[in-house]
Amino acid sequence: MKTIKSMMEHLYWADGRILDALEESGTKNKDLLKLVRHVAIAERVWLSRLQGKSSAQYSLWGDAEDLTAIRNMFEENAEHYRAYIEGLKEFELDELIDYANQSGVPFQTSARDILSQVLLHGQYHRGQINRALRIESAEPVQVDYITFARLNMTD
């Protein structure tokens, strides 16, 4: 559980850093904003599934223009993931979660694998966002786990 908790704390930190970088860049790139919204919505979709709820109401690739609304989504996600993980026992990480994907196809996946998906999916897209920032001549932001770990060594 310690590793999952630490990696999730990294996710919240990295989400915040990428949002700060987007705000500082002043980008109006609709595809870039759509991508960061996608990350927030995907986190929400997976959390719904972990909680045994439907995720059918979420559109993974909707348009976005308001970084404040996206930041609020990320903050709400962090709050709900923290509560979920605090209530999770080690053995429950390997229990299978029944859910349907966005097309309605049923699946069973362990909570551990779902959380791993959330972590890796976000990092993948944060890398894409950083690349796009560089292309726009904006400064990409450091979101590597090791940077997070070094900053939190005293914790």
Side-chain angles (χ1 to χ4, degrees):
M1 282 299 285
K2 182 179 177 184
T3 300
I4 292 273
K5 285 181 179 181
S6 179
M7 292 181 76
M8 289 301 292
E9 288 300 320
H10 166 259
L11 176 134
Y12 315 138
W13 172 84
D15 285 345
R17 298 218 4 131
I18 210 76
L19 284 167
D20 292 345
L22 286 167
E23 286 175 355
E24 288 173 25
S25 77
T27 187
K28 300 295 182 212
N29 181 325
K30 291 191 184 298
D31 289 334
L32 193 49
L33 296 174
K34 189 176 195 175
L35 184 57
V36 74
R37 179 196 172 276
H38 167 77
V39 175
I41 293 295
E43 287 179 12
R44 190 160 286 184
V45 162
W46 285 110
L47 181 62
S48 294
R49 293 169 180 171
L50 286 165
Q51 295 172 327
K53 300 175 185 173
S54 172
S55 63
Q57 71 274 27
Y58 298 114
S59 170
L60 284 169
W61 290 105
D63 289 329
E65 293 183 24
D66 183 5
L67 277 174
T68 301
I70 295 169
R71 184 178 295 276
N72 289 339
M73 271 194 276
F74 277 120
E75 289 171 358
E76 288 173 14
N77 289 348
E79 178 184 334
H80 293 292
Y81 269 105
R82 281 186 177 111
Y84 172 79
I85 290 170
E86 281 305 313
L88 198 62
K89 306 281 188 280
E90 180 76 33
F91 74 90
E92 292 174 313
L93 285 169
D94 296 313
E95 290 184 352
L96 294 179
I97 307 292
D98 293 307
Y99 65 94
N101 70 7
Q102 297 308 98
S103 300
V105 178
F107 288 95
Q108 282 189 326
T109 307
S110 71
R112 183 183 313 274
D113 286 342
I114 288 173
L115 290 169
S116 295
Q117 166 63 22
V118 171
L119 293 162
L120 295 171
H121 177 263
Q123 194 66 353
Y124 170 75
H125 286 307
R126 284 188 294 275
Q128 291 178 315
I129 293 164
N130 260 335
R131 182 175 184 277
L133 285 170
R134 185 177 301 277
I135 289 169
E136 290 186 1
S137 299
E139 191 63 32
V141 64
Q142 181 56 257
V143 292
D144 284 347
Y145 180 82
I146 197 67
T147 302
F148 168 80
R150 288 173 183 151
L151 292 170
N152 292 285
M153 282 178 49
T154 58
D155 292 347

